[in-house]
Amino acid sequence: MTRILAIANRKGGTGKTATTVNLAAEAAAAGLRTLVVDLDTQGHAGLGFDVAARRGEPTVHDLFRDPRAGLAGAIRATATERVFVAPADPLFDGTAAERSPTRLARELRGAGLARDFDLVLIDTPPAYDMLLVNALGAAEEVLVPTLPHALSADGVSQLARIVFLVAARVNAELRIAGLLPVMVGANPRHHKLVLDMLARDFGAERILPGIRSDIRVAEAFAARCPVRRHAPGGRASSDYRRLLAALLDRFSPKTGGSLAPTFG
């Protein structure tokens, strides 16, 4: 069974794209055919695998401007084995767009495209718009990266309200997979206070192992590759592997999922 996971937070700059790229690389290394759907028009998830659409080439955003468009034509292989990307269109502005909240879900599920992959990761924009709603409408679960400070925590609360609305109106299967602290370590006391607050509000079981601050993540983006390739021995690489293991445990048969046997 394919897992579809949206990576989202209502606040920008919380590590959504870094999480998408590096979790995809770890999943692929563990044996999963992984599709990255880059819904954020900045296109940075694609750039993390050195994939960018030229003018006129198919993108995921074609789905929202042309009802006849399909996602399959936009999907590209990458230099990372078992990772594929549906790149963004940086010129997409949402005008004259299809407003259906299930457009992406229909393409992934109705067309059977998801069956070609073990894991689909959707990188989302922070704005509460039809792109975010489409991501949540297609996903089974939401992974929420968050900086451990108060403003980012407020972004988590805002996103939780949107998840509740989408689950009620569009996608009854939608759940929050967990909250992922990122850039951990710069201010341990404040970080602990914020994480304690999130644990109180959302449950300690939802707090995933964090990603420590590591300049190698930015260096890897500059090199247009995952940190696993750029600095395989670095602490960020280790943390993303630990994140994958934690998600694996949540996806395991004992919790009703089915990905664990695929990872082996």
Side-chain angles (χ1 to χ4, degrees):
M1 174 182 173
T2 304
R3 284 278 177 175
I4 302 178
L5 191 66
I7 318 297
N9 190 315
R10 281 284 283 120
K11 187 180 186 303
T14 56
K16 295 185 299 295
T17 299
T19 300
T20 303
V21 167
N22 291 299
L23 183 58
E26 293 300 330
L32 288 181
R33 281 176 60 87
T34 301
L35 172 63
V36 171
V37 178
D38 192 357
L39 276 190
D40 191 332
T41 55
Q42 293 181 94
H44 291 168
L47 289 179
F49 290 102
D50 199 21
V51 172
R54 296 185 178 89
R55 184 184 292 269
E57 292 182 337
T59 73
V60 62
H61 290 103
D62 292 342
L63 296 179
F64 306 102
R65 59 163 62 96
D66 182 355
R68 299 166 298 177
L71 186 61
I75 294 173
R76 321 278 186 84
T78 73
T80 300
E81 187 178 5
R82 290 185 291 274
V83 173
F84 300 78
V85 170
D89 180 358
L91 299 180
F92 180 77
D93 61 6
T95 58
E98 180 176 339
R99 311 304 299 182
S100 168
T102 60
R103 181 68 175 96
L104 182 59
R106 296 198 310 269
E107 188 63 25
L108 286 172
R109 300 184 185 281
L113 184 62
R115 290 196 298 268
D116 295 333
F117 301 95
D118 301 301
L119 179 64
V120 178
L121 299 176
I122 307 173
D123 190 27
T124 66
Y128 183 15
D129 60 10
M130 61 98 180
L131 293 177
L132 177 58
V133 172
N134 260 266
L136 299 178
E140 292 142 338
E141 293 172 293
V142 188
L143 176 62
V144 188
T146 179
L147 295 168
H149 63 59
L151 288 178
S152 187
D154 183 63
V156 175
S157 297
Q158 291 184 33
L159 179 69
R161 290 192 287 271
I162 295 170
V163 169
F164 177 81
L165 289 173
V166 173
R169 299 174 182 177
V170 179
N171 178 8
E173 304 301 315
L174 185 63
R175 301 289 184 272
I176 294 179
L179 311 182
L180 174 66
V182 299
M183 302 183 198
V184 173
N187 188 336
R189 183 177 178 183
H190 181 66
H191 289 183
K192 184 178 186 306
L193 289 173
V194 174
L195 291 177
D196 287 347
M197 178 183 68
L198 290 171
R200 183 189 66 238
D201 291 345
F202 294 95
E205 72 282 358
R206 292 188 185 274
I207 308 299
L208 291 159
I211 309 298
R212 291 167 289 178
S213 296
D214 190 343
I215 190 60
R216 293 175 181 87
V217 175
E219 292 173 351
F221 269 103
R224 296 196 173 190
C225 69
V227 72
R228 177 185 177 87
R229 182 188 301 176
H230 176 71
R235 61 187 176 189
S237 294
S238 173
D239 290 349
Y240 284 116
R241 285 193 294 273
R242 187 173 57 163
L243 169 63
L244 177 65
L247 290 173
L248 247 181
D249 185 61
R250 291 168 190 239
F251 292 160
S252 68
K254 68 183 180 183
T255 56
S258 61
L259 266 190
T262 308
F263 281 95

